[in-house]
Amino acid sequence: MPPAKKANKGGEGINSKLALVMKSGKYTLGYKSTLKAVRSGKCQLILLASNTPPLRVSEIEYYALLSKTIVEHYKGDNSPLGTACGKYFRVCTLGITDAGDSDIIRSIQKD
């Protein structure tokens, strides 16, 4: 009998890793500052909420393609993304420049 597969927590796993990034890493919140970080080549990972306007999504994905940055689409909309970041406001775009102690980039690359 093959060993049972572990259930991938998906959203919960990324939320806990995101909380660790907020404590120990460097990040930018918001569309304009994330775009600046991507253009300068500082971003390693971009998280986009599910209700980000399509024009913004396509623009960020285009710049990320040019700078070889990973883009991850968050399963929730901008309100749960802001809560996962530990903020009391909505966050549509999040750019991670330094992951700190978290292994969020490796886990997303693995998927």
Side-chain angles (χ1 to χ4, degrees):
M1 209 165 137
K5 289 185 178 179
K6 286 185 180 180
N8 189 5
K9 292 184 195 174
E12 290 298 311
I14 201 166
N15 284 349
S16 61
K17 290 173 183 173
L18 199 53
L20 193 56
V21 169
M22 294 297 137
K23 285 184 180 178
S24 64
K26 293 182 181 175
Y27 57 91
T28 59
L29 295 176
Y31 171 71
K32 285 174 124 178
S33 61
T34 301
L35 214 55
K36 284 180 185 176
V38 171
R39 279 193 214 129
S40 64
K42 293 178 183 175
C43 254
Q44 296 177 353
L45 173 69
I46 301 170
L47 278 172
L48 297 172
S50 64
N51 63 344
T52 306
L55 186 63
R56 283 189 179 185
V57 170
S58 63
E59 186 178 2
I60 289 173
E61 285 178 344
Y62 175 71
Y63 280 116
L65 179 82
L66 294 177
S67 67
K68 297 183 177 101
T69 305
I70 304 165
V71 177
E72 178 70 16
H73 295 275
Y74 190 74
K75 288 177 179 56
D77 58 356
N78 56 4
S79 187
L81 182 57
T83 306
C85 293
K87 305 297 180 192
Y88 294 112
F89 48 85
R90 297 175 293 223
V91 174
C92 209
T93 309
L94 167 74
I96 297 175
T97 55
D98 178 30
D101 297 331
S102 179
D103 64 337
I104 190 168
I105 296 170
R106 277 183 276 141
S107 66
I108 288 175
Q109 282 179 339
K110 185 177 69 172
D111 294 341

